[in-house]
Amino acid sequence: MQTLASIKALSLAATPDDRRTLVLAITQAFDAVQKAPSDDENALFCEVVGRILDQLTESVRAEVAQKLAPMERTPEALAFKMASDESIAVAGPVLEQSTKLTDAQLVEIAENRDDSYRMAIAKRESVSEAVTDVIVEKSGREVLQAISGNRGAAFSQKGVGVLLERGGEDATVQQNLLARSRDDGSMAGKIRNALTEGLRKKLGDFVTQLPAEEMDHAVEIAQQAYMAEKGVARRARMARKLMLDEINAGKMQVDEAVTQLSREKRIDDLGWLAAQILQIPETIAQGAFNAVAVDTAVILGRALGVSERTFQLVATARRQVLSLPPESEAAALQEFSALSQMEASRAIRLLKMR
């Protein structure tokens, strides 16, 4: 793999094929670097790719954009350059996927480009109020349908009013807003606050279908509980990923990790960890630790190389989570003791062949 510095000289490539090969090689090299790029590497990447980008055909620029759009390490300046490209085939993937674009940049593009660019922005995983304010003011029907249906798009009070004025009579926009208002009390409140007398007359049945105000509070409480639960789950996923990283780096033993997860009764995460280490499908591994029958869990535990003491903790966690009878622990440990590492490894190989 060539380093970024070693291919800088190739930026003088003359033919279109040479330039395409060069920019894709640089992109691949930049993405393959394991450590985070330094400021100098970022600057070099921008310099070389930026120098070549304008010389590439639309199809090749689009190919580069597809590769760079989801990359977390794509430099901000380069992301904005591609997002501003005169071709939506190039700009679209970046506008829709890149996390490197600022709200100010998205607002600038939404204000000065056509609906194809605004549609790409409307499909982003999240869209701020400042950006949706511009989207609803500038866009046509299809974009209004997309932005109203995007649960990751935040709306200001002003934005909701403009959306109702410009697209409130559209059946798809109405369905999107009604669905969202039933799940989001704040959205229902913003819609009601935006309903002038003129809008009430113009929108007719839509107004009568809005959830009653007394439901908003209950919806808000339910949403807060859901977000709190989601936050706990996200932190748990991050913790198990860090645990796997430490195992791979030799900073934590598998036995230690399995012990911790068992004591915390996280049998789903036990399955996830086993799947990553043994390279088997997650559905099989998680199913094994959640099944009443213990035989596959025993195979996974032995294949992971955990001690009998640690597997005792696994059996205890399974009994408590699955409400198994007390004697299940002794039976599980007996099966574990009777199984050899070689037999378990053979069974894992068979699982991988399924």
PDB file of all heavy atoms in Angstrom, residues 144 162-171 173-174 177 199 202-203 206:
ATOM      1  N   LEU A 144     -40.710  18.426   0.108  1.00  0.00           N
ATOM      2  CA  LEU A 144     -41.516  18.632   1.314  1.00  0.00           C
ATOM      3  C   LEU A 144     -42.036  17.304   1.843  1.00  0.00           C
ATOM      4  O   LEU A 144     -42.107  17.092   3.065  1.00  0.00           O
ATOM      5  CB  LEU A 144     -42.681  19.579   1.021  1.00  0.00           C
ATOM      6  CG  LEU A 144     -42.303  21.017   0.655  1.00  0.00           C
ATOM      7  CD1 LEU A 144     -43.558  21.845   0.406  1.00  0.00           C
ATOM      8  CD2 LEU A 144     -41.440  21.655   1.732  1.00  0.00           C
ATOM      9  N   VAL A 162     -44.335  27.299   7.933  1.00  0.00           N
ATOM     10  CA  VAL A 162     -44.058  27.415   6.498  1.00  0.00           C
ATOM     11  C   VAL A 162     -44.395  26.103   5.787  1.00  0.00           C
ATOM     12  O   VAL A 162     -44.954  26.107   4.682  1.00  0.00           O
ATOM     13  CB  VAL A 162     -42.575  27.792   6.267  1.00  0.00           C
ATOM     14  CG1 VAL A 162     -42.239  27.772   4.779  1.00  0.00           C
ATOM     15  CG2 VAL A 162     -42.277  29.165   6.859  1.00  0.00           C
ATOM     16  N   LEU A 163     -44.066  24.975   6.412  1.00  0.00           N
ATOM     17  CA  LEU A 163     -44.375  23.671   5.816  1.00  0.00           C
ATOM     18  C   LEU A 163     -45.879  23.513   5.613  1.00  0.00           C
ATOM     19  O   LEU A 163     -46.336  23.050   4.560  1.00  0.00           O
ATOM     20  CB  LEU A 163     -43.831  22.558   6.707  1.00  0.00           C
ATOM     21  CG  LEU A 163     -44.135  21.116   6.275  1.00  0.00           C
ATOM     22  CD1 LEU A 163     -43.571  20.830   4.887  1.00  0.00           C
ATOM     23  CD2 LEU A 163     -43.570  20.126   7.289  1.00  0.00           C
ATOM     24  N   LEU A 164     -46.679  23.921   6.602  1.00  0.00           N
ATOM     25  CA  LEU A 164     -48.133  23.814   6.481  1.00  0.00           C
ATOM     26  C   LEU A 164     -48.667  24.762   5.402  1.00  0.00           C
ATOM     27  O   LEU A 164     -49.571  24.408   4.646  1.00  0.00           O
ATOM     28  CB  LEU A 164     -48.798  24.116   7.822  1.00  0.00           C
ATOM     29  CG  LEU A 164     -48.607  23.055   8.914  1.00  0.00           C
ATOM     30  CD1 LEU A 164     -49.176  23.552  10.234  1.00  0.00           C
ATOM     31  CD2 LEU A 164     -49.258  21.742   8.518  1.00  0.00           C
ATOM     32  N   GLU A 165     -48.092  25.948   5.333  1.00  0.00           N
ATOM     33  CA  GLU A 165     -48.540  26.926   4.334  1.00  0.00           C
ATOM     34  C   GLU A 165     -48.239  26.429   2.922  1.00  0.00           C
ATOM     35  O   GLU A 165     -49.071  26.541   2.027  1.00  0.00           O
ATOM     36  CB  GLU A 165     -47.848  28.279   4.557  1.00  0.00           C
ATOM     37  CG  GLU A 165     -48.356  29.063   5.762  1.00  0.00           C
ATOM     38  CD  GLU A 165     -49.690  29.747   5.486  1.00  0.00           C
ATOM     39  OE1 GLU A 165     -50.190  29.657   4.338  1.00  0.00           O
ATOM     40  OE2 GLU A 165     -50.224  30.359   6.424  1.00  0.00           O
ATOM     41  N   ARG A 166     -47.038  25.875   2.724  1.00  0.00           N
ATOM     42  CA  ARG A 166     -46.604  25.538   1.363  1.00  0.00           C
ATOM     43  C   ARG A 166     -46.961  24.106   0.961  1.00  0.00           C
ATOM     44  O   ARG A 166     -47.112  23.813  -0.221  1.00  0.00           O
ATOM     45  CB  ARG A 166     -45.096  25.745   1.238  1.00  0.00           C
ATOM     46  CG  ARG A 166     -44.673  27.190   1.521  1.00  0.00           C
ATOM     47  CD  ARG A 166     -43.241  27.449   1.075  1.00  0.00           C
ATOM     48  NE  ARG A 166     -43.126  27.374  -0.378  1.00  0.00           N
ATOM     49  CZ  ARG A 166     -42.451  26.433  -1.016  1.00  0.00           C
ATOM     50  NH1 ARG A 166     -41.824  25.478  -0.348  1.00  0.00           N
ATOM     51  NH2 ARG A 166     -42.384  26.429  -2.328  1.00  0.00           N
ATOM     52  N   GLY A 167     -47.045  23.201   1.949  1.00  0.00           N
ATOM     53  CA  GLY A 167     -47.281  21.802   1.579  1.00  0.00           C
ATOM     54  C   GLY A 167     -48.358  21.118   2.382  1.00  0.00           C
ATOM     55  O   GLY A 167     -48.562  19.906   2.251  1.00  0.00           O
ATOM     56  N   GLY A 168     -49.068  21.877   3.209  1.00  0.00           N
ATOM     57  CA  GLY A 168     -50.033  21.278   4.121  1.00  0.00           C
ATOM     58  C   GLY A 168     -51.199  20.578   3.448  1.00  0.00           C
ATOM     59  O   GLY A 168     -51.828  19.699   4.047  1.00  0.00           O
ATOM     60  N   GLU A 169     -51.510  20.953   2.219  1.00  0.00           N
ATOM     61  CA  GLU A 169     -52.629  20.317   1.516  1.00  0.00           C
ATOM     62  C   GLU A 169     -52.230  19.019   0.827  1.00  0.00           C
ATOM     63  O   GLU A 169     -53.097  18.284   0.359  1.00  0.00           O
ATOM     64  CB  GLU A 169     -53.214  21.295   0.489  1.00  0.00           C
ATOM     65  CG  GLU A 169     -53.905  22.495   1.127  1.00  0.00           C
ATOM     66  CD  GLU A 169     -54.477  23.445   0.088  1.00  0.00           C
ATOM     67  OE1 GLU A 169     -53.688  24.211  -0.499  1.00  0.00           O
ATOM     68  OE2 GLU A 169     -55.700  23.402  -0.128  1.00  0.00           O
ATOM     69  N   ASP A 170     -50.928  18.727   0.783  1.00  0.00           N
ATOM     70  CA  ASP A 170     -50.464  17.495   0.147  1.00  0.00           C
ATOM     71  C   ASP A 170     -50.772  16.300   1.055  1.00  0.00           C
ATOM     72  O   ASP A 170     -50.464  16.308   2.250  1.00  0.00           O
ATOM     73  CB  ASP A 170     -48.957  17.573  -0.101  1.00  0.00           C
ATOM     74  CG  ASP A 170     -48.417  16.337  -0.788  1.00  0.00           C
ATOM     75  OD1 ASP A 170     -48.484  16.275  -2.015  1.00  0.00           O
ATOM     76  OD2 ASP A 170     -47.957  15.423  -0.072  1.00  0.00           O
ATOM     77  N   ALA A 171     -51.357  15.244   0.492  1.00  0.00           N
ATOM     78  CA  ALA A 171     -51.788  14.096   1.290  1.00  0.00           C
ATOM     79  C   ALA A 171     -50.614  13.406   1.982  1.00  0.00           C
ATOM     80  O   ALA A 171     -50.713  12.997   3.142  1.00  0.00           O
ATOM     81  CB  ALA A 171     -52.530  13.089   0.403  1.00  0.00           C
ATOM     82  N   VAL A 173     -47.635  14.739   2.846  1.00  0.00           N
ATOM     83  CA  VAL A 173     -47.150  15.607   3.924  1.00  0.00           C
ATOM     84  C   VAL A 173     -48.076  15.498   5.131  1.00  0.00           C
ATOM     85  O   VAL A 173     -47.628  15.400   6.280  1.00  0.00           O
ATOM     86  CB  VAL A 173     -47.049  17.070   3.444  1.00  0.00           C
ATOM     87  CG1 VAL A 173     -46.745  18.006   4.619  1.00  0.00           C
ATOM     88  CG2 VAL A 173     -45.969  17.210   2.373  1.00  0.00           C
ATOM     89  N   GLN A 174     -49.383  15.506   4.893  1.00  0.00           N
ATOM     90  CA  GLN A 174     -50.342  15.378   5.995  1.00  0.00           C
ATOM     91  C   GLN A 174     -50.156  14.060   6.745  1.00  0.00           C
ATOM     92  O   GLN A 174     -50.124  14.036   7.981  1.00  0.00           O
ATOM     93  CB  GLN A 174     -51.772  15.481   5.466  1.00  0.00           C
ATOM     94  CG  GLN A 174     -52.176  16.873   5.024  1.00  0.00           C
ATOM     95  CD  GLN A 174     -53.653  16.967   4.689  1.00  0.00           C
ATOM     96  OE1 GLN A 174     -54.405  15.999   4.816  1.00  0.00           O
ATOM     97  NE2 GLN A 174     -54.083  18.143   4.239  1.00  0.00           N
ATOM     98  N   LEU A 177     -46.983  14.203   8.858  1.00  0.00           N
ATOM     99  CA  LEU A 177     -47.103  15.055  10.037  1.00  0.00           C
ATOM    100  C   LEU A 177     -48.036  14.450  11.080  1.00  0.00           C
ATOM    101  O   LEU A 177     -47.788  14.550  12.282  1.00  0.00           O
ATOM    102  CB  LEU A 177     -47.592  16.446   9.631  1.00  0.00           C
ATOM    103  CG  LEU A 177     -46.592  17.295   8.833  1.00  0.00           C
ATOM    104  CD1 LEU A 177     -47.196  18.651   8.480  1.00  0.00           C
ATOM    105  CD2 LEU A 177     -45.295  17.474   9.623  1.00  0.00           C
ATOM    106  N   LEU A 199     -55.390  28.651   7.772  1.00  0.00           N
ATOM    107  CA  LEU A 199     -54.892  27.287   7.619  1.00  0.00           C
ATOM    108  C   LEU A 199     -55.926  26.258   8.074  1.00  0.00           C
ATOM    109  O   LEU A 199     -56.074  25.191   7.466  1.00  0.00           O
ATOM    110  CB  LEU A 199     -53.596  27.101   8.413  1.00  0.00           C
ATOM    111  CG  LEU A 199     -52.288  27.468   7.702  1.00  0.00           C
ATOM    112  CD1 LEU A 199     -51.113  27.345   8.662  1.00  0.00           C
ATOM    113  CD2 LEU A 199     -52.068  26.579   6.488  1.00  0.00           C
ATOM    114  N   LYS A 202     -58.265  25.863   5.261  1.00  0.00           N
ATOM    115  CA  LYS A 202     -57.641  25.267   4.092  1.00  0.00           C
ATOM    116  C   LYS A 202     -57.349  23.780   4.296  1.00  0.00           C
ATOM    117  O   LYS A 202     -57.494  22.979   3.379  1.00  0.00           O
ATOM    118  CB  LYS A 202     -56.339  26.012   3.765  1.00  0.00           C
ATOM    119  CG  LYS A 202     -55.660  25.523   2.485  1.00  0.00           C
ATOM    120  CD  LYS A 202     -54.541  26.450   2.045  1.00  0.00           C
ATOM    121  CE  LYS A 202     -53.305  26.305   2.900  1.00  0.00           C
ATOM    122  NZ  LYS A 202     -52.133  27.025   2.318  1.00  0.00           N
ATOM    123  N   LEU A 203     -56.955  23.402   5.521  1.00  0.00           N
ATOM    124  CA  LEU A 203     -56.524  22.027   5.764  1.00  0.00           C
ATOM    125  C   LEU A 203     -57.655  21.105   6.207  1.00  0.00           C
ATOM    126  O   LEU A 203     -57.506  19.879   6.176  1.00  0.00           O
ATOM    127  CB  LEU A 203     -55.389  22.008   6.796  1.00  0.00           C
ATOM    128  CG  LEU A 203     -54.136  22.810   6.405  1.00  0.00           C
ATOM    129  CD1 LEU A 203     -53.078  22.706   7.477  1.00  0.00           C
ATOM    130  CD2 LEU A 203     -53.586  22.329   5.074  1.00  0.00           C
ATOM    131  N   PHE A 206     -57.525  17.465   8.090  1.00  0.00           N
ATOM    132  CA  PHE A 206     -56.214  17.277   8.715  1.00  0.00           C
ATOM    133  C   PHE A 206     -56.222  17.776  10.156  1.00  0.00           C
ATOM    134  O   PHE A 206     -55.707  17.124  11.063  1.00  0.00           O
ATOM    135  CB  PHE A 206     -55.150  18.019   7.903  1.00  0.00           C
ATOM    136  CG  PHE A 206     -53.811  18.118   8.585  1.00  0.00           C
ATOM    137  CD1 PHE A 206     -52.955  17.034   8.606  1.00  0.00           C
ATOM    138  CD2 PHE A 206     -53.412  19.300   9.212  1.00  0.00           C
ATOM    139  CE1 PHE A 206     -51.716  17.115   9.237  1.00  0.00           C
ATOM    140  CE2 PHE A 206     -52.186  19.398   9.836  1.00  0.00           C
ATOM    141  CZ  PHE A 206     -51.340  18.306   9.848  1.00  0.00           C
TER     142      PHE A 206
END
